[in-house]
């Protein structure tokens, strides 16, 4: 199994922990860090719908809580509709706009263009993008007069 396949497998496993009783759409995210370690997240919905957190944001907040925000190299993102036996679907999903911006914070901290691998819950299709292609002309620390965000 390639490193990217392993990252997608970790994201799929994380999607199994999605708390998504409202949308019935499970999302899993897995971050690979500079030392090869992986941090995962799943979407975390709330009865007050607007408070729901995306899987990518949960994973990035966890990386930050572990002092590893600047070490994010790549992310795998998967999602699918929850059915009887779990989430299904082969179509790749891509991070929402808010998650792209939050991912950009990690990219800026680490000084690297994070790779974003997108897949469905099953199947072999993995679409890879550079964050800079998904979020061109991003707002970032430089706009605040900060050359590189302080650690
Ligand atoms: N969701 C994510 O977790 N990540 C995304 O990038 C897009 C959407 C979640 C939010 C909500 O829990 C469910 O998917 C349906 O929108």
């Amino acid at each position: 199994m390639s490193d990217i396949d392993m990252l997608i497998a970790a994201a799929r496993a994380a999607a199994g922990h999605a708390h998504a009783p409202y949308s019935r759409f499970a999302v899993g995210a897995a971050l690979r860090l500079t030392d090869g370690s992986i941090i995962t997240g799943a979407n975390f919905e709330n009865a007050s719908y607007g408070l729901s957190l995306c899987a990518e944001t949960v994973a990035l907040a966890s990386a930050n809580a572990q002092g590893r925000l600047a070490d994010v190299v790549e992310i795998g993102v998967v999602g699918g509709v929850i059915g009887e036996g779990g989430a299904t679907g082969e179509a790749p999903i891509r991070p929402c706009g808010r998650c792209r911006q939050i991912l950009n914070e990690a990219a800026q901290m680490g000084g690297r263009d994070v790779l974003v691998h997108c897949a469905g819950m099953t199947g072999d299709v993995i679409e890879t993008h550079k964050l800079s292609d998904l979020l061109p002309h991003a707002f970032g620390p430089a706009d605040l007069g900060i050359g590189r965000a302080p650690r």
Side-chain angles (χ1 to χ4, degrees), residues 19-20 23-28 42-45 52-57 77 93-97 99:
H19 175 66
S23 71
R24 304 295 298 163
F25 191 85
V27 182
N43 53 333
F44 181 26
E45 296 185 350
S52 298
L53 299 173
C54 288
E56 302 92 316
T57 292
V77 182
I93 67 150
R94 297 106 192 162
C96 78
C99 287

Side-chain angles (χ1 to χ4, degrees), residues 33-37 39 60 62-72 106:
L33 308 183
T34 44
D35 64 358
S37 60
I39 294 176
L60 286 158
S62 181
N64 182 53
Q66 295 174 48
R68 305 300 304 276
L69 195 60
D71 299 337
V72 175

Side-chain angles (χ1 to χ4, degrees), residues 102-113:
I102 291 172
L103 194 52
N104 188 57
E105 193 65 22
Q108 292 296 313
M109 287 287 189
R112 62 177 71 82
D113 199 357

Side-chain angles (χ1 to χ4, degrees), residues 1 4 12 32 48 54 62 78 80 89 93 96-97 99 101 103 109-110 125 140 142:
M1 207 188 245
I4 295 172
R12 285 175 174 159
R32 185 193 309 285
S48 178
C54 288
S62 181
V78 305
I93 67 150
C96 78
C99 287
Q101 180 66 31
L103 194 52
M109 287 287 189
V125 178

Side-chain angles (χ1 to χ4, degrees), residues 1-149:
M1 207 188 245
S2 75
D3 282 359
I4 295 172
D5 288 339
M6 281 171 56
L7 200 62
I8 293 298
R12 285 175 174 159
H17 301 299
H19 175 66
Y22 310 109
S23 71
R24 304 295 298 163
F25 191 85
V27 182
L31 305 169
R32 185 193 309 285
L33 308 183
T34 44
D35 64 358
S37 60
I38 289 176
I39 294 176
T40 61
N43 53 333
F44 181 26
E45 296 185 350
N46 194 283
S48 178
Y49 295 169
L51 301 183
S52 298
L53 299 173
C54 288
E56 302 92 316
T57 292
V58 169
L60 286 158
S62 181
N64 182 53
Q66 295 174 48
R68 305 300 304 276
L69 195 60
D71 299 337
V72 175
V73 174
E74 52 191 346
I75 181 171
V77 182
V78 305
V81 174
I82 299 172
E84 293 281 306
T88 57
E90 291 202 10
I93 67 150
R94 297 106 192 162
C96 78
R98 182 173 187 266
C99 287
R100 294 176 195 197
Q101 180 66 31
I102 291 172
L103 194 52
N104 188 57
E105 193 65 22
Q108 292 296 313
M109 287 287 189
R112 62 177 71 82
D113 199 357
V114 171
L115 289 179
V116 182
H117 307 288
C118 307
M121 288 305 300
T122 55
D124 296 331
V125 178
I126 301 176
E127 213 184 74
T128 296
H129 302 278
K130 289 193 260 183
L131 178 62
S132 62
D133 289 331
L134 294 178
L135 189 68
H137 310 291
F139 182 84
D143 297 296
L144 300 175
I146 300 166
R148 184 166 160 179

